[in-house]
Amino acid sequence: MFLPPARRPRTVVGVTALLLLVALGIVVTLVWPGPGAVRDHGVSSPRTDAGRPAAGEGSDVAWPGDGQSAVALEGRGSLGVRGERRPVPIASLTKVMTAHVILTGHPLRPGERGPRIEVDRQAAHEVGVGGESTVPVRAGDRYTERQLLELLLIPSGNNIARLLARWDSGSQEAFVLKMRRAARDLGMTDTTYTGASGIEVTTTSTAVDQLRLARQVMRNPVFRDIVATRTVTVPGAGPVSNTNTLLGTSGVIGLKTGSSTPAGGNLLWACEVRVGDRDLMMLGAVLHQRAGTTAGEGLRAALDNSRALIDGLRGRLASPRSEG
């Protein structure tokens, strides 16, 4: 039976509308991220453009089961993010931002030593303070900016961090405001700085945020050269070793350790990796390892777990299956 002519157009419109809704539903399904999508303030999901698992997704990669981790390959993006993405204490990783703010306000070119800075009484007095990582300095001694950055980043002197903060801004409190502005400018929305050294448990961040900072500072050749240095000589105290014992192994060329009982062990690392016919830099942040134990135990865990992660990723990136 035929429908009356007046009703035919309405039926056609209804069918057309239904088909449009179905089509739209398919489009939404394809492009709208589901509840499991990665949303890390700009860190992309660990997937290749073709939809295959990224290089860091294989079962042969030993991601730390503790704390949180994030890794990126320069020029290629995120290789993965693991663990809870909540701010945790970062201990001496704080000094990476301290160095970044100093080098931003007082830039050095490769080979430059910078202005000479006098050690004040407070920095000298803090050498005797227990429970902190400090560098032996004497009031009235003068060090170049480059020397103090070395003492900040290699043996990780808390007293040096606060000395640099006072030299730059007059007080540590004023310097912290600069640190917070720098973090905001880098999009580190889950980071809070409350001191220049990291001794405060209220200085917190995430692996994703620290990875953002690592990518920024490793573009500075002076910073990059310092964090690749294995030992530095402290006048009157002799040579001291870099706390990052992975340097020179597994392609590691930096970055910075941080450890305390509340923070556990933390490591920002940078390494070189061969991908096809190119040498690229891979950067990672491994945070909150064995928190609640001792600073030494946490740091050993951060170093060991980072080494396993680096070796797994380097092997996978170098294999033919990681190409394309």
Side-chain angles (χ1 to χ4, degrees):
M1 184 174 70
F2 293 96
L3 293 173
R7 294 182 60 186
R8 228 175 254 173
R10 294 175 60 188
T11 303
V12 173
V13 171
V15 171
T16 303
L18 179 60
L19 289 173
L20 282 171
L21 286 173
V22 171
L24 284 171
I26 293 171
V27 172
V28 169
T29 301
L30 290 174
V31 304
W32 189 258
V38 176
R39 294 170 186 166
D40 278 320
H41 306 295
V43 175
S44 60
S45 171
R47 295 277 167 183
T48 64
D49 290 340
R52 299 185 303 274
E57 289 293 278
S59 59
D60 54 337
V61 177
W63 288 88
D66 197 13
Q68 54 184 278
S69 309
V71 181
L73 186 65
E74 283 298 282
R76 302 290 181 91
S78 174
L79 295 183
V81 180
R82 294 293 187 280
E84 290 187 356
R85 301 168 201 184
R86 61 182 179 84
V88 294
I90 58 172
S92 286
L93 293 193
T94 303
K95 297 183 177 81
V96 176
M97 178 58 84
T98 299
H100 172 60
V101 172
I102 291 294
L103 283 168
T104 299
H106 313 274
L108 298 175
R109 290 191 296 267
E112 284 187 337
R113 308 302 293 178
R116 300 189 73 82
I117 301 165
E118 184 172 332
V119 176
D120 59 20
R121 290 185 179 181
Q122 184 172 344
H125 170 73
E126 289 171 350
V127 173
V129 176
E132 284 199 63
S133 171
T134 59
V135 175
V137 290
R138 297 176 303 180
D141 286 351
R142 297 174 69 83
Y143 293 85
T144 65
E145 178 187 343
R146 167 74 187 230
Q147 283 179 304
L148 289 180
L149 286 170
E150 291 171 348
L151 298 181
L152 171 77
L153 294 167
I154 297 175
S156 199
N158 285 1
N159 57 333
I160 303 302
R162 294 186 286 263
L163 172 62
L164 282 168
R166 292 190 295 273
W167 169 71
D168 174 86
S169 303
S171 70
Q172 182 177 213
E173 293 73 21
F175 187 79
V176 166
L177 295 178
K178 290 187 177 182
M179 297 174 76
R180 292 176 178 174
R181 283 196 295 271
R184 186 169 60 247
D185 291 344
L186 290 173
M188 299 168 66
T189 56
D190 292 318
T191 297
T192 302
Y193 289 106
T194 58
S197 70
I199 190 67
E200 303 85 0
V201 296
T202 48
T203 290
T204 59
S205 187
T206 64
V208 169
D209 273 7
Q210 288 300 299
L211 193 56
R212 292 182 186 276
L213 177 59
R215 295 178 72 173
Q216 178 67 30
V217 295
M218 287 301 282
R219 296 184 181 122
N220 186 308
V222 172
F223 181 93
R224 195 165 59 241
D225 184 58
I226 291 173
V227 296
T229 304
R230 298 196 198 185
T231 61
V232 64
T233 299
V234 180
V240 291
S241 298
N242 197 314
T243 54
N244 180 9
T245 57
L246 296 190
L247 278 174
T249 69
S250 302
V252 174
I253 56 173
L255 247 157
K256 183 74 185 75
T257 63
S259 60
S260 68
T261 294
N266 303 275
L267 181 66
L268 267 180
W269 50 260
C271 74
E272 294 177 336
V273 59
R274 188 78 174 175
V275 182
D277 60 351
R278 298 181 61 195
D279 289 319
L280 300 176
M281 184 166 60
M282 182 167 61
L283 295 159
V286 174
L287 307 186
H288 218 48
Q289 305 296 292
R290 301 284 294 162
T293 60
T294 66
E297 186 174 346
L299 182 55
R300 282 191 297 273
L303 291 164
D304 290 345
N305 292 341
S306 292
R307 185 195 299 274
L309 177 59
I310 291 167
D311 288 344
L313 288 168
R314 290 181 85 226
R316 191 167 178 81
L317 286 163
S319 67
R321 62 184 168 177
S322 69
E323 290 302 295

